[in-house]
Amino acid sequence: MIAKMNKYSILLLNCDKEEAVSGIQDLGLMDIRRSARPVDKQSEAMLERIALSKKTIESLDRIDWSKDPDCDKISKAAKRIRRDADSDILKEYEVLSGKLSNLRSSYDASLRQTESLKCWGKFSGEDLKDLAEQGIQLHFFALPRKKFDPQWAEQWPLTVIDDADIVRFVVVGDNGIPAQELPQLKYDYRTSEAESASLAGELLDCKAGLEALKAAKPELEKAYSDEINGLNHYLANASGEAAVDGMISVMTAFAPVEDDARICQALDGMNLYYVKEAATKEDNPPIKLRNNWFARNFETLTGMYGMPVYDEFDPTPILAPFFLLFWAFCMGDAGYGILLTIVGLLLPKYNILDLKNHWRLVTTLGIGTTVIGFFLGTFFGVNLTTLSWMPDALKNMMLVGKVNVGGSAYDIAMVAAIAIGGCRICLAMVIRAIGTTRRFGFKEAISTWGWTILIIGGLLVAAGALTSVLSASATKICIIIVGILSALGIFIFNKPGRNPLINIGAGLWDSYQMATGILGDVLSYIRLYALGLAGGMLGSAFNDLAAMTLGSDPTWQWIPWVVIILIGHALNFAMSCLGAFVHPLRLTFVEYFKNSGYEGKGVQFNPLKKETTK
């Protein structure tokens, strides 16, 4: 199956590109496509807006009043706030965050002032004003105890207000006390407390405003995405000269959906701006295949032809078992299968023919060849059915001998090869019909469904009639139904909306192509039988040639026997592997992919990552 992809549209200044690319490379999860565009005044302004939006989103994410003593009050106040739908969230946040910072500074200063005034007791600002009008001037002092001289009270009219570590005292009238006088007090701590309470209320309202603004974060995130897409679109069409700041790097990245959390965490820590969205077929995302342990071994073969496009079926799960079966048919020898399995197991250590990374595929093909080779009755060129010690029960399981088809006798293996080919082509037609319907709609798939019904339906009806599952009358009804449905699809509605006469002509042409094409495709599968038969006969010939060197009483003659056996079977094994690779691949790339409608125009997923050497 094809892994679902996310698309990441990334914008950043050229000066930050190397750092960002290095971070993405360290991550090793994203397939990157890069380009660069000049920065003009408009794109610079758009980029500044994007930067402000990102900063605001991150700041809103950090807002948390859960540990604030007034948490409940903030939450209730935020719910009562009604924002204007047309208001600018960025400006609102800028105003509120600036106001919050100023209020906090003022509130903290007010609290400190309240504490400093409490020691002077209660008095009225009006009282101080009245005393001043009467010519009585009060002077306020605060000194550390070690700097305060108690004898000053004998020289000046002095009253101690607070006799602690810091001595606070008031002097009436002119004085010559050698100490720094405090600023004239205008009110007592009660006025300062009232001011602090007022600032606390404003702080609560400001926090409630930010909490209400936090609820609008999805709206801001959408605007942020629109701004990036807008800048991307503008850069794609702009052709102005580069400004002083240089260039904007534009990157489109794709990554599997399951890696999204790690990717977003990494991108959020970089100096860039990005938008994430689900990839669509119009984006032409790179293709990453995800299959089970068995089919995964054959993904290399799919890549040799071409990866599927994003809305196609992954052909690998169908390709895998059939290629294994065809390979085994072409090799056709259980002994060669054992030898191939041994080679596959040795590949990780010795890297024979640079196939180290494909050892699982080679081993799987070897095991399949061993099993199928047994059923074909050949072991290193020896016909297993001729061995006297071989149990009859095992001999009866082998596909040897003849079978009557239409009054003529044919080898069972040849009939099996053609039958397998016919089943595979029928399966390809079903996949094509389903795939075309899924990708382009039923109207575009009517003709394909017509041929699928005709061929598969016809084969099923024929099988039912030959096996007496269907009676004569039931067979007749089924033939009429299959004929009508297929004729409507092939000749009448193959292109809805087009002139019926043109549709009929197109249907006749398709009929000629299908009749000759399908027959040729099915007969192509005879090569499976032919290659297996040729390999078995050649192996048997080498055995006979080696046996001729032994004579009736062999001694030194065992040496040429060993040489002929080793060289002969090595050559036959190599040629069999070549034929078993090329011809099943041809049956897949031509007969199967043509009938299944597979395009194979996708691009393989190739994440940017650092290469490591061992």
Side-chain angles (χ1 to χ4, degrees):
M1 59 179 289
I2 299 173
K4 294 296 181 182
M5 290 281 171
N6 277 337
K7 175 185 175 184
Y8 301 83
S9 300
I10 302 173
L11 295 173
L12 68 163
L13 290 174
N14 231 28
C15 58
D16 299 321
K17 182 178 70 173
E18 291 303 321
E19 182 181 354
V21 170
S22 179
I24 293 173
Q25 192 175 27
D26 290 336
L27 191 62
L29 298 174
M30 306 178 76
D31 192 314
I32 300 290
R33 302 171 187 175
R34 286 170 276 185
S35 62
R37 298 289 187 274
V39 180
D40 55 19
K41 290 183 179 180
Q42 182 172 346
S43 59
E44 186 176 15
M46 297 171 75
L47 190 61
E48 289 177 357
R49 174 84 177 181
I50 289 171
L52 182 59
S53 297
K54 180 183 179 183
K55 183 179 179 182
T56 303
I57 291 172
E58 292 173 348
S59 298
L60 289 174
D61 280 334
R62 290 194 294 268
I63 291 177
D64 182 13
W65 310 118
S66 59
K67 296 182 180 180
D68 194 290
D70 297 322
C71 176
D72 293 337
K73 294 180 180 179
I74 293 172
S75 179
K76 291 178 181 178
K79 293 178 181 178
R80 293 194 296 267
I81 295 176
R82 294 292 180 266
R83 292 182 56 256
D84 187 353
D86 298 328
S87 62
D88 190 331
I89 299 177
L90 298 181
K91 288 185 178 179
E92 284 188 48
Y93 177 79
E94 185 178 6
V95 171
L96 287 172
S97 60
K99 183 179 179 181
L100 179 64
S101 179
N102 293 333
L103 284 173
R104 279 174 168 165
S105 299
S106 300
Y107 181 68
D108 291 341
S110 179
L111 290 178
R112 289 194 298 270
Q113 186 179 37
T114 300
E115 288 300 317
S116 66
L117 289 175
K118 282 184 177 179
C119 61
W120 299 104
K122 298 179 181 179
F123 56 88
S124 170
E126 293 296 327
D127 295 339
L128 294 176
K129 185 177 180 182
D130 291 342
L131 290 173
E133 290 177 353
Q134 297 174 24
I136 301 174
Q137 189 69 36
L138 300 181
H139 303 275
F140 299 85
F141 295 88
L143 294 174
R145 176 177 292 280
K146 63 181 180 179
K147 292 185 178 182
F148 177 74
D149 188 354
Q151 295 181 1
W152 290 346
E154 299 176 1
Q155 302 177 40
W156 294 283
L158 180 151
T159 302
V160 176
I161 304 299
D162 185 13
D163 188 13
D165 292 337
I166 301 297
V167 179
R168 292 175 174 84
F169 57 95
V170 179
V171 177
V172 181
D174 295 335
N175 69 88
I177 293 178
Q180 182 67 37
E181 183 179 350
L182 295 177
Q184 187 71 32
L185 299 182
K186 297 180 179 180
Y187 47 80
D188 66 358
Y189 72 91
R190 292 172 299 177
T191 303
S192 182
E193 279 185 338
E195 182 182 347
S196 298
S198 176
L199 289 172
E202 292 184 49
L203 265 176
L204 191 146
D205 291 340
C206 190
K207 292 177 180 177
L210 288 171
E211 183 67 22
L213 205 58
K214 185 178 180 180
K217 190 166 73 75
E219 179 184 341
L220 181 59
E221 289 173 338
K222 182 180 183 304
Y224 171 71
S225 300
D226 293 341
E227 287 161 2
I228 288 185
N229 289 329
L231 177 56
N232 205 352
H233 180 75
Y234 173 78
L235 293 173
N237 294 285
S239 58
E241 295 183 359
V244 178
D245 290 337
M247 307 284 284
I248 291 180
S249 289
V250 182
M251 295 192 290
T252 301
F254 295 92
V257 171
E258 63 267 19
D259 296 328
D260 177 62
R262 291 175 58 192
I263 291 172
C264 288
Q265 182 180 6
L267 293 181
D268 288 339
M270 300 180 191
N271 191 22
L272 52 79
Y273 316 102
Y274 72 95
V275 173
K276 178 193 70 178
E277 56 188 338
T280 64
K281 64 178 181 180
E282 287 76 16
D283 298 321
N284 191 27
I287 303 302
K288 181 177 182 180
L289 303 181
R290 179 169 289 104
N291 293 293
N292 58 35
W293 65 270
F294 173 72
R296 194 181 305 125
N297 298 322
F298 297 84
E299 290 178 357
T300 300
L301 304 179
T302 301
M304 290 176 63
Y305 183 86
M307 302 297 282
V309 294
Y310 197 55
D311 62 340
E312 270 190 300
F313 285 115
D314 175 13
T316 311
I318 304 298
L319 179 154
F322 279 104
F323 187 88
L324 174 60
L325 181 61
F326 296 166
W327 172 286
F329 250 94
C330 290
M331 292 288 287
D333 192 295
Y336 291 168
I338 294 174
L339 183 59
L340 188 63
T341 303
I342 295 172
V343 171
L345 295 174
L346 292 176
L347 281 177
K349 184 175 182 180
Y350 296 103
N351 196 20
I352 304 171
L353 298 177
D354 199 26
L355 293 173
K356 179 179 181 179
N357 294 331
H358 304 292
W359 72 271
R360 291 186 179 87
L361 174 61
V362 175
T363 303
T364 302
L365 294 175
I367 295 173
T369 301
T370 303
V371 175
I372 299 300
F374 168 77
F375 285 107
L376 294 177
T378 307
F379 186 86
F380 284 112
V382 177
N383 188 344
L384 296 179
T385 59
T386 62
L387 300 177
S388 58
W389 52 266
M390 180 69 65
D392 291 337
L394 294 179
K395 292 181 180 179
N396 293 333
M397 296 171 61
M398 299 177 186
L399 297 175
V400 294
K402 304 288 185 177
V403 61
N404 288 321
V405 178
S408 300
Y410 299 96
D411 284 347
I412 295 177
M414 183 183 73
V415 175
I418 295 176
I420 292 171
C423 291
R424 197 189 195 201
I425 289 175
C426 290
L427 178 61
M429 295 185 68
V430 172
I431 291 175
R432 180 174 187 170
I434 296 173
T436 305
T437 303
R438 178 173 169 238
R439 297 179 64 196
F440 307 111
F442 181 72
K443 288 176 63 176
E444 297 296 327
I446 292 178
S447 177
T448 305
W449 279 113
W451 283 109
T452 303
I453 291 173
L454 177 63
I455 294 175
I456 297 179
L459 290 174
L460 292 176
V461 171
L466 291 174
T467 56
S468 300
V469 173
L470 295 176
S471 63
S473 58
T475 302
K476 183 177 180 180
I477 294 173
C478 290
I479 291 174
I480 293 173
I481 293 173
V482 169
I484 292 174
L485 291 177
S486 58
L488 289 174
I490 296 170
F491 297 104
I492 307 300
F493 300 111
N494 53 38
K495 192 74 173 179
R498 191 169 61 177
N499 189 312
L501 294 178
I502 297 178
N503 282 348
I504 292 174
L508 291 173
W509 175 247
D510 287 344
S511 298
Y512 168 75
Q513 289 186 313
M514 289 293 291
T516 55
I518 290 292
L519 180 60
D521 291 343
V522 173
L523 292 178
S524 291
Y525 285 85
I526 293 180
R527 73 186 66 218
L528 301 175
Y529 161 73
L531 287 168
L533 179 63
M537 293 178 64
L538 190 57
S540 178
F542 282 120
N543 290 341
D544 293 341
L545 186 62
M548 293 171 61
T549 65
L550 292 178
S552 59
D553 188 18
T555 54
W556 61 268
Q557 290 88 348
W558 284 107
I559 296 175
W561 182 89
V562 171
V563 172
I564 293 174
I565 288 293
L566 290 178
I567 295 177
H569 281 289
L571 290 173
N572 193 31
F573 175 76
M575 289 188 294
S576 296
C577 287
L578 180 62
F581 176 75
V582 172
H583 290 280
L585 208 61
R586 193 261 185 199
L587 291 173
T588 299
F589 288 176
V590 179
E591 278 76 11
Y592 174 69
F593 282 165
K594 177 185 70 175
N595 287 288
S596 66
Y598 179 67
E599 295 180 10
K601 297 180 180 179
V603 179
Q604 187 168 7
F605 178 70
N606 185 25
L608 180 66
K609 57 185 177 181
K610 291 184 176 179
E611 298 295 334
T612 57
T613 57
K614 296 183 180 179

PDB file of all heavy atoms in Angstrom, residues 26 32 76 83 163 174 184 230 241 268 299 351 388 418 449 475 480 483 509 512 542 548 585 595:
ATOM      1  N   ASP A  26      19.398  16.309   9.533  1.00  0.00           N
ATOM      2  CA  ASP A  26      19.579  15.540  10.770  1.00  0.00           C
ATOM      3  C   ASP A  26      18.321  14.754  11.109  1.00  0.00           C
ATOM      4  O   ASP A  26      18.403  13.638  11.629  1.00  0.00           O
ATOM      5  CB  ASP A  26      19.928  16.482  11.927  1.00  0.00           C
ATOM      6  CG  ASP A  26      21.318  17.080  11.781  1.00  0.00           C
ATOM      7  OD1 ASP A  26      22.159  16.458  11.099  1.00  0.00           O
ATOM      8  OD2 ASP A  26      21.562  18.162  12.342  1.00  0.00           O
ATOM      9  N   ILE A  32      12.569  16.818   0.204  1.00  0.00           N
ATOM     10  CA  ILE A  32      12.586  18.265   0.018  1.00  0.00           C
ATOM     11  C   ILE A  32      12.693  18.627  -1.461  1.00  0.00           C
ATOM     12  O   ILE A  32      13.462  18.030  -2.214  1.00  0.00           O
ATOM     13  CB  ILE A  32      13.771  18.905   0.778  1.00  0.00           C
ATOM     14  CG1 ILE A  32      13.655  18.609   2.282  1.00  0.00           C
ATOM     15  CG2 ILE A  32      13.826  20.402   0.533  1.00  0.00           C
ATOM     16  CD1 ILE A  32      12.537  19.330   2.957  1.00  0.00           C
ATOM     17  N   LYS A  76     -13.865  33.319  34.044  1.00  0.00           N
ATOM     18  CA  LYS A  76     -15.239  33.836  33.961  1.00  0.00           C
ATOM     19  C   LYS A  76     -15.282  35.149  33.181  1.00  0.00           C
ATOM     20  O   LYS A  76     -16.192  35.374  32.372  1.00  0.00           O
ATOM     21  CB  LYS A  76     -15.793  34.035  35.371  1.00  0.00           C
ATOM     22  CG  LYS A  76     -16.031  32.731  36.123  1.00  0.00           C
ATOM     23  CD  LYS A  76     -16.538  32.989  37.534  1.00  0.00           C
ATOM     24  CE  LYS A  76     -16.758  31.695  38.301  1.00  0.00           C
ATOM     25  NZ  LYS A  76     -17.215  31.921  39.694  1.00  0.00           N
ATOM     26  N   ARG A  83     -15.655  39.353  21.114  1.00  0.00           N
ATOM     27  CA  ARG A  83     -14.747  39.989  20.178  1.00  0.00           C
ATOM     28  C   ARG A  83     -15.446  40.348  18.875  1.00  0.00           C
ATOM     29  O   ARG A  83     -16.363  39.662  18.440  1.00  0.00           O
ATOM     30  CB  ARG A  83     -13.573  39.051  19.843  1.00  0.00           C
ATOM     31  CG  ARG A  83     -12.627  38.785  20.989  1.00  0.00           C
ATOM     32  CD  ARG A  83     -11.473  37.887  20.557  1.00  0.00           C
ATOM     33  NE  ARG A  83     -10.756  38.438  19.420  1.00  0.00           N
ATOM     34  CZ  ARG A  83     -10.872  37.980  18.164  1.00  0.00           C
ATOM     35  NH1 ARG A  83     -11.685  36.976  17.893  1.00  0.00           N
ATOM     36  NH2 ARG A  83     -10.181  38.536  17.193  1.00  0.00           N
ATOM     37  N   ASP A 163      10.880  52.737  64.957  1.00  0.00           N
ATOM     38  CA  ASP A 163      12.194  52.527  65.558  1.00  0.00           C
ATOM     39  C   ASP A 163      12.616  51.066  65.354  1.00  0.00           C
ATOM     40  O   ASP A 163      12.648  50.263  66.271  1.00  0.00           O
ATOM     41  CB  ASP A 163      12.152  52.869  67.037  1.00  0.00           C
ATOM     42  CG  ASP A 163      13.556  52.846  67.664  1.00  0.00           C
ATOM     43  OD1 ASP A 163      14.535  52.820  66.873  1.00  0.00           O
ATOM     44  OD2 ASP A 163      13.661  52.843  68.889  1.00  0.00           O
ATOM     45  N   ASP A 174      12.413  74.147  59.524  1.00  0.00           N
ATOM     46  CA  ASP A 174      13.753  74.064  58.966  1.00  0.00           C
ATOM     47  C   ASP A 174      14.634  73.200  59.854  1.00  0.00           C
ATOM     48  O   ASP A 174      14.505  73.209  61.071  1.00  0.00           O
ATOM     49  CB  ASP A 174      14.351  75.471  58.841  1.00  0.00           C
ATOM     50  CG  ASP A 174      13.590  76.330  57.847  1.00  0.00           C
ATOM     51  OD1 ASP A 174      12.961  75.719  56.943  1.00  0.00           O
ATOM     52  OD2 ASP A 174      13.618  77.554  57.964  1.00  0.00           O
ATOM     53  N   GLN A 184       8.733  64.467  49.577  1.00  0.00           N
ATOM     54  CA  GLN A 184       7.555  64.857  50.349  1.00  0.00           C
ATOM     55  C   GLN A 184       6.408  63.884  50.111  1.00  0.00           C
ATOM     56  O   GLN A 184       6.073  63.569  48.968  1.00  0.00           O
ATOM     57  CB  GLN A 184       7.127  66.277  49.956  1.00  0.00           C
ATOM     58  CG  GLN A 184       6.016  66.848  50.814  1.00  0.00           C
ATOM     59  CD  GLN A 184       6.500  67.173  52.234  1.00  0.00           C
ATOM     60  OE1 GLN A 184       7.661  67.535  52.439  1.00  0.00           O
ATOM     61  NE2 GLN A 184       5.645  67.028  53.217  1.00  0.00           N
ATOM     62  N   GLY A 230      -0.206  32.719   0.390  1.00  0.00           N
ATOM     63  CA  GLY A 230      -0.255  33.935  -0.399  1.00  0.00           C
ATOM     64  C   GLY A 230       1.129  34.393  -0.816  1.00  0.00           C
ATOM     65  O   GLY A 230       1.354  34.786  -1.961  1.00  0.00           O
ATOM     66  N   GLU A 241      13.379  42.701  -8.907  1.00  0.00           N
ATOM     67  CA  GLU A 241      14.767  42.585  -8.493  1.00  0.00           C
ATOM     68  C   GLU A 241      14.861  42.305  -7.001  1.00  0.00           C
ATOM     69  O   GLU A 241      14.006  42.706  -6.226  1.00  0.00           O
ATOM     70  CB  GLU A 241      15.513  43.880  -8.817  1.00  0.00           C
ATOM     71  CG  GLU A 241      15.611  44.152 -10.316  1.00  0.00           C
ATOM     72  CD  GLU A 241      16.415  45.401 -10.589  1.00  0.00           C
ATOM     73  OE1 GLU A 241      16.859  46.040  -9.618  1.00  0.00           O
ATOM     74  OE2 GLU A 241      16.592  45.740 -11.775  1.00  0.00           O
ATOM     75  N   ASP A 268       9.264  23.557  14.547  1.00  0.00           N
ATOM     76  CA  ASP A 268       8.914  24.650  15.459  1.00  0.00           C
ATOM     77  C   ASP A 268      10.155  25.245  16.122  1.00  0.00           C
ATOM     78  O   ASP A 268      10.141  26.406  16.548  1.00  0.00           O
ATOM     79  CB  ASP A 268       7.939  24.158  16.536  1.00  0.00           C
ATOM     80  CG  ASP A 268       6.553  23.901  15.973  1.00  0.00           C
ATOM     81  OD1 ASP A 268       6.239  24.459  14.900  1.00  0.00           O
ATOM     82  OD2 ASP A 268       5.782  23.139  16.587  1.00  0.00           O
ATOM     83  N   GLU A 299       9.478  -4.894  -3.452  1.00  0.00           N
ATOM     84  CA  GLU A 299       9.297  -3.480  -3.782  1.00  0.00           C
ATOM     85  C   GLU A 299      10.366  -2.987  -4.748  1.00  0.00           C
ATOM     86  O   GLU A 299      10.141  -2.052  -5.520  1.00  0.00           O
ATOM     87  CB  GLU A 299       9.312  -2.639  -2.498  1.00  0.00           C
ATOM     88  CG  GLU A 299       8.074  -2.839  -1.631  1.00  0.00           C
ATOM     89  CD  GLU A 299       8.120  -2.042  -0.339  1.00  0.00           C
ATOM     90  OE1 GLU A 299       9.159  -1.375  -0.098  1.00  0.00           O
ATOM     91  OE2 GLU A 299       7.147  -2.073   0.426  1.00  0.00           O
ATOM     92  N   ASN A 351      28.368 -10.510   0.037  1.00  0.00           N
ATOM     93  CA  ASN A 351      27.891  -9.520  -0.949  1.00  0.00           C
ATOM     94  C   ASN A 351      28.188  -9.970  -2.384  1.00  0.00           C
ATOM     95  O   ASN A 351      28.791  -9.255  -3.181  1.00  0.00           O
ATOM     96  CB  ASN A 351      28.526  -8.149  -0.690  1.00  0.00           C
ATOM     97  CG  ASN A 351      27.791  -7.042  -1.420  1.00  0.00           C
ATOM     98  OD1 ASN A 351      26.631  -7.191  -1.820  1.00  0.00           O
ATOM     99  ND2 ASN A 351      28.450  -5.914  -1.627  1.00  0.00           N
ATOM    100  N   SER A 388      13.163 -45.091  -7.390  1.00  0.00           N
ATOM    101  CA  SER A 388      12.398 -46.200  -6.814  1.00  0.00           C
ATOM    102  C   SER A 388      12.095 -45.984  -5.336  1.00  0.00           C
ATOM    103  O   SER A 388      11.075 -46.450  -4.821  1.00  0.00           O
ATOM    104  CB  SER A 388      13.162 -47.518  -7.010  1.00  0.00           C
ATOM    105  OG  SER A 388      14.445 -47.410  -6.392  1.00  0.00           O
ATOM    106  N   ILE A 418      -0.446 -21.867 -18.323  1.00  0.00           N
ATOM    107  CA  ILE A 418      -1.437 -21.066 -19.054  1.00  0.00           C
ATOM    108  C   ILE A 418      -2.598 -20.689 -18.138  1.00  0.00           C
ATOM    109  O   ILE A 418      -3.111 -19.553 -18.192  1.00  0.00           O
ATOM    110  CB  ILE A 418      -1.941 -21.848 -20.280  1.00  0.00           C
ATOM    111  CG1 ILE A 418      -0.787 -22.052 -21.274  1.00  0.00           C
ATOM    112  CG2 ILE A 418      -3.093 -21.115 -20.956  1.00  0.00           C
ATOM    113  CD1 ILE A 418      -1.155 -22.894 -22.477  1.00  0.00           C
ATOM    114  N   TRP A 449     -15.369  -2.099 -17.442  1.00  0.00           N
ATOM    115  CA  TRP A 449     -16.269  -3.027 -16.758  1.00  0.00           C
ATOM    116  C   TRP A 449     -16.956  -3.964 -17.763  1.00  0.00           C
ATOM    117  O   TRP A 449     -17.192  -5.147 -17.463  1.00  0.00           O
ATOM    118  CB  TRP A 449     -17.327  -2.266 -15.960  1.00  0.00           C
ATOM    119  CG  TRP A 449     -16.835  -1.789 -14.636  1.00  0.00           C
ATOM    120  CD1 TRP A 449     -16.634  -0.506 -14.224  1.00  0.00           C
ATOM    121  CD2 TRP A 449     -16.471  -2.609 -13.510  1.00  0.00           C
ATOM    122  NE1 TRP A 449     -16.164  -0.457 -12.946  1.00  0.00           N
ATOM    123  CE2 TRP A 449     -16.051  -1.733 -12.468  1.00  0.00           C
ATOM    124  CE3 TRP A 449     -16.437  -3.981 -13.294  1.00  0.00           C
ATOM    125  CZ2 TRP A 449     -15.625  -2.203 -11.238  1.00  0.00           C
ATOM    126  CZ3 TRP A 449     -16.007  -4.445 -12.049  1.00  0.00           C
ATOM    127  CH2 TRP A 449     -15.613  -3.570 -11.042  1.00  0.00           C
ATOM    128  N   THR A 475     -27.513 -21.852 -17.732  1.00  0.00           N
ATOM    129  CA  THR A 475     -26.381 -21.411 -18.552  1.00  0.00           C
ATOM    130  C   THR A 475     -26.832 -20.437 -19.625  1.00  0.00           C
ATOM    131  O   THR A 475     -26.178 -19.404 -19.872  1.00  0.00           O
ATOM    132  CB  THR A 475     -25.688 -22.616 -19.201  1.00  0.00           C
ATOM    133  OG1 THR A 475     -25.248 -23.517 -18.170  1.00  0.00           O
ATOM    134  CG2 THR A 475     -24.511 -22.183 -20.044  1.00  0.00           C
ATOM    135  N   ILE A 480     -26.996 -14.803 -21.653  1.00  0.00           N
ATOM    136  CA  ILE A 480     -27.749 -13.628 -22.126  1.00  0.00           C
ATOM    137  C   ILE A 480     -27.428 -12.404 -21.246  1.00  0.00           C
ATOM    138  O   ILE A 480     -27.193 -11.307 -21.763  1.00  0.00           O
ATOM    139  CB  ILE A 480     -29.261 -13.927 -22.119  1.00  0.00           C
ATOM    140  CG1 ILE A 480     -29.589 -14.995 -23.171  1.00  0.00           C
ATOM    141  CG2 ILE A 480     -30.067 -12.650 -22.372  1.00  0.00           C
ATOM    142  CD1 ILE A 480     -31.021 -15.480 -23.125  1.00  0.00           C
ATOM    143  N   GLY A 483     -23.881 -11.276 -21.869  1.00  0.00           N
ATOM    144  CA  GLY A 483     -23.786 -10.682 -23.202  1.00  0.00           C
ATOM    145  C   GLY A 483     -24.371  -9.283 -23.261  1.00  0.00           C
ATOM    146  O   GLY A 483     -23.782  -8.366 -23.846  1.00  0.00           O
ATOM    147  N   TRP A 509     -13.317  -1.686 -32.744  1.00  0.00           N
ATOM    148  CA  TRP A 509     -11.854  -1.605 -32.758  1.00  0.00           C
ATOM    149  C   TRP A 509     -11.264  -2.180 -31.463  1.00  0.00           C
ATOM    150  O   TRP A 509     -10.269  -2.912 -31.500  1.00  0.00           O
ATOM    151  CB  TRP A 509     -11.426  -0.156 -32.958  1.00  0.00           C
ATOM    152  CG  TRP A 509      -9.940   0.056 -32.873  1.00  0.00           C
ATOM    153  CD1 TRP A 509      -9.258   0.738 -31.931  1.00  0.00           C
ATOM    154  CD2 TRP A 509      -8.946  -0.445 -33.779  1.00  0.00           C
ATOM    155  NE1 TRP A 509      -7.905   0.716 -32.171  1.00  0.00           N
ATOM    156  CE2 TRP A 509      -7.688  -0.013 -33.313  1.00  0.00           C
ATOM    157  CE3 TRP A 509      -9.001  -1.226 -34.947  1.00  0.00           C
ATOM    158  CZ2 TRP A 509      -6.498  -0.317 -33.962  1.00  0.00           C
ATOM    159  CZ3 TRP A 509      -7.804  -1.528 -35.595  1.00  0.00           C
ATOM    160  CH2 TRP A 509      -6.578  -1.087 -35.100  1.00  0.00           C
ATOM    161  N   TYR A 512     -11.289  -5.967 -31.619  1.00  0.00           N
ATOM    162  CA  TYR A 512     -10.177  -6.550 -32.378  1.00  0.00           C
ATOM    163  C   TYR A 512      -8.898  -6.553 -31.529  1.00  0.00           C
ATOM    164  O   TYR A 512      -8.176  -7.559 -31.462  1.00  0.00           O
ATOM    165  CB  TYR A 512      -9.962  -5.753 -33.667  1.00  0.00           C
ATOM    166  CG  TYR A 512      -8.671  -6.096 -34.373  1.00  0.00           C
ATOM    167  CD1 TYR A 512      -8.545  -7.295 -35.085  1.00  0.00           C
ATOM    168  CD2 TYR A 512      -7.571  -5.243 -34.316  1.00  0.00           C
ATOM    169  CE1 TYR A 512      -7.354  -7.619 -35.716  1.00  0.00           C
ATOM    170  CE2 TYR A 512      -6.382  -5.555 -34.950  1.00  0.00           C
ATOM    171  CZ  TYR A 512      -6.274  -6.744 -35.640  1.00  0.00           C
ATOM    172  OH  TYR A 512      -5.098  -7.064 -36.271  1.00  0.00           O
ATOM    173  N   PHE A 542      23.497 -32.837 -18.721  1.00  0.00           N
ATOM    174  CA  PHE A 542      24.794 -32.800 -18.043  1.00  0.00           C
ATOM    175  C   PHE A 542      24.978 -34.033 -17.151  1.00  0.00           C
ATOM    176  O   PHE A 542      26.089 -34.579 -17.042  1.00  0.00           O
ATOM    177  CB  PHE A 542      24.932 -31.519 -17.215  1.00  0.00           C
ATOM    178  CG  PHE A 542      25.270 -30.305 -18.035  1.00  0.00           C
ATOM    179  CD1 PHE A 542      24.422 -29.206 -18.052  1.00  0.00           C
ATOM    180  CD2 PHE A 542      26.425 -30.264 -18.786  1.00  0.00           C
ATOM    181  CE1 PHE A 542      24.726 -28.087 -18.802  1.00  0.00           C
ATOM    182  CE2 PHE A 542      26.737 -29.139 -19.540  1.00  0.00           C
ATOM    183  CZ  PHE A 542      25.880 -28.045 -19.553  1.00  0.00           C
ATOM    184  N   MET A 548      28.400 -40.895 -18.527  1.00  0.00           N
ATOM    185  CA  MET A 548      29.110 -41.594 -19.602  1.00  0.00           C
ATOM    186  C   MET A 548      30.604 -41.702 -19.323  1.00  0.00           C
ATOM    187  O   MET A 548      31.281 -42.585 -19.866  1.00  0.00           O
ATOM    188  CB  MET A 548      28.877 -40.874 -20.936  1.00  0.00           C
ATOM    189  CG  MET A 548      27.440 -40.953 -21.428  1.00  0.00           C
ATOM    190  SD  MET A 548      27.129 -39.873 -22.865  1.00  0.00           S
ATOM    191  CE  MET A 548      28.279 -40.572 -24.034  1.00  0.00           C
ATOM    192  N   LEU A 585       9.761 -10.950 -15.184  1.00  0.00           N
ATOM    193  CA  LEU A 585       9.726  -9.498 -15.157  1.00  0.00           C
ATOM    194  C   LEU A 585       9.008  -8.970 -16.394  1.00  0.00           C
ATOM    195  O   LEU A 585       8.213  -8.020 -16.311  1.00  0.00           O
ATOM    196  CB  LEU A 585      11.159  -8.955 -15.102  1.00  0.00           C
ATOM    197  CG  LEU A 585      11.352  -7.588 -14.437  1.00  0.00           C
ATOM    198  CD1 LEU A 585      10.916  -7.647 -12.982  1.00  0.00           C
ATOM    199  CD2 LEU A 585      12.807  -7.156 -14.516  1.00  0.00           C
ATOM    200  N   ASN A 595      -2.638  -4.784 -18.770  1.00  0.00           N
ATOM    201  CA  ASN A 595      -4.042  -5.136 -18.542  1.00  0.00           C
ATOM    202  C   ASN A 595      -4.602  -4.558 -17.246  1.00  0.00           C
ATOM    203  O   ASN A 595      -5.816  -4.453 -17.101  1.00  0.00           O
ATOM    204  CB  ASN A 595      -4.196  -6.664 -18.536  1.00  0.00           C
ATOM    205  CG  ASN A 595      -4.060  -7.262 -19.914  1.00  0.00           C
ATOM    206  OD1 ASN A 595      -4.940  -7.118 -20.761  1.00  0.00           O
ATOM    207  ND2 ASN A 595      -2.941  -7.926 -20.168  1.00  0.00           N
TER     208      ASN A 595
END
